[in-house]
Amino acid sequence: MIRLQNIKYSGKVYTRQGDFYYRRAMAGDAEKIAEMYSECAIHRGNCKERLKRGEKEAFDRRGGMYLVPDREGIEREIENPHSFWALFTDHEGEPAGSFWFSDDNPEIPAVLKQTDTVYPREILVKREYAGRKIGTMLYYTVFEAMLKAGYLRSVCEVYRTIAYETDGIRYSVDLLNKPSYIDMLMMGGRYEGCGLEKEICLLEMKVWVEPHIFSFLHEKTMGLKQEASCFTLQEGIWQG
């Protein structure tokens, strides 16, 4: 198999709502990627709205990130030989979405790990492109590249937020990241069950999440794409 930093990934996507380009992210993209993380960050200042059922921006409707890397951290990960960082841009070269993969994830149970497996870690879509299927296109284009490089499977997590604490008060919630969960099912993901509850410590805040684990066979997902006629790929050019 080809090492992650050597996987070829570049092309163009034609859609009815505009064209996009995809490529490997470079260190110089880190600042713009960090801005996308900031857009979806859940923190002490917005948690009462983001972690309340029924709110427009609630976690179960929009998803979100708790642990948000800074520019330097993103640069290090982009240059990490054990990582693969995909980037979608618009026709002006501005980032529309990104997707970080790695060749290991210590949070995934060992029974689900194989030598031909990669691990989707974090996917981001710029707010202004919500509803444009950027996330779906990121999955399909990266899975295609991984399959060609000899990686046949992916295993990833979707979080259910079960509680958070601020000012010494714990609030119980039940907020599954439904957009990501539905995407997993639509792309042929196999539900592997729940992982162990995690406690995430943030500035002036704690969060408890329950990971739900999905596995993918890349070939199966690409077959579903063809059946649905969502996108077609010919020599690096996608249409959808």
Side-chain angles (χ1 to χ4, degrees):
M1 289 183 292
I2 301 172
R3 296 193 67 179
L4 293 190
Q5 76 271 28
N6 297 324
I7 291 176
K8 294 180 180 180
Y9 179 76
S10 65
K12 185 176 182 179
V13 178
Y14 294 94
T15 78
R16 296 181 182 88
Q17 297 174 304
D19 301 338
F20 297 92
Y21 297 86
Y22 59 93
R23 60 173 172 82
R24 292 285 300 271
M26 300 177 290
D29 299 312
E31 185 173 354
K32 292 293 182 69
I33 294 174
E35 291 174 4
M36 285 194 286
Y37 269 103
S38 295
E39 283 187 352
C40 65
I42 299 176
H43 48 72
R44 177 66 178 83
N46 64 12
C47 63
K48 293 292 179 67
E49 292 75 34
R50 297 297 309 278
L51 298 179
K52 182 179 180 181
R53 187 180 299 278
E55 292 289 331
K56 182 179 179 181
E57 298 295 320
F59 183 80
D60 62 335
R61 301 177 70 176
R62 295 286 190 181
M65 296 283 181
Y66 294 114
L67 296 173
V68 176
D70 58 16
R71 178 179 60 79
E72 291 80 8
I74 295 169
E75 285 180 355
R76 287 193 297 271
E77 206 56 60
I78 287 174
E79 295 174 344
N80 182 349
H82 299 285
S83 288
F84 174 98
W85 207 303
L87 187 71
F88 255 61
T89 65
D90 63 18
H91 66 284
E92 295 181 345
E94 289 296 310
S98 73
F99 205 173
W100 169 36
F101 276 64
S102 67
D103 61 12
D104 192 20
N105 182 351
E107 303 295 331
I108 297 296
V111 68
L112 295 176
K113 295 184 177 184
Q114 298 180 20
T115 56
D116 60 0
T117 303
V118 287
Y119 304 89
R121 302 296 292 272
E122 294 171 354
I123 188 168
L124 299 168
V125 176
K126 199 169 183 178
R127 186 179 296 271
E128 67 187 85
Y129 291 111
R132 301 276 291 274
K133 298 185 181 295
I134 299 296
T136 302
M137 290 187 286
L138 277 163
Y139 267 102
Y140 281 136
T141 56
V142 176
F143 277 12
E144 176 81 7
M146 293 293 173
L147 188 58
K148 288 180 177 179
Y151 293 96
L152 308 182
R153 304 171 66 249
S154 288
V155 182
C156 60
E157 298 174 313
V158 175
Y159 284 167
R160 181 173 75 94
T161 302
I162 58 180
Y164 71 98
E165 179 183 298
T166 59
D167 301 322
I169 302 174
R170 178 179 167 119
Y171 301 88
S172 294
V173 296
D174 182 6
L175 299 171
L176 175 66
N177 183 346
K178 290 180 182 176
S180 291
Y181 195 96
I182 292 170
D183 280 347
M184 301 298 100
L185 296 174
M186 292 295 291
M187 289 184 291
R190 174 179 173 177
Y191 183 64
E192 302 286 359
C194 297
L196 298 176
E197 178 183 314
K198 303 178 185 180
E199 178 183 294
I200 301 172
C201 295
L202 307 173
L203 183 64
E204 300 181 334
M205 179 183 175
K206 291 182 180 179
V207 182
W208 287 267
V209 298
E210 176 186 76
H212 290 253
I213 304 171
F214 284 85
S215 66
F216 291 89
L217 293 175
H218 297 159
E219 188 172 16
K220 176 184 177 182
T221 296
M222 300 310 295
L224 291 173
K225 171 192 67 64
Q226 295 292 347
E227 290 175 13
S229 298
C230 297
F231 306 100
T232 59
L233 172 64
Q234 291 182 342
E235 297 181 355
I237 299 177
W238 289 69
Q239 294 180 321

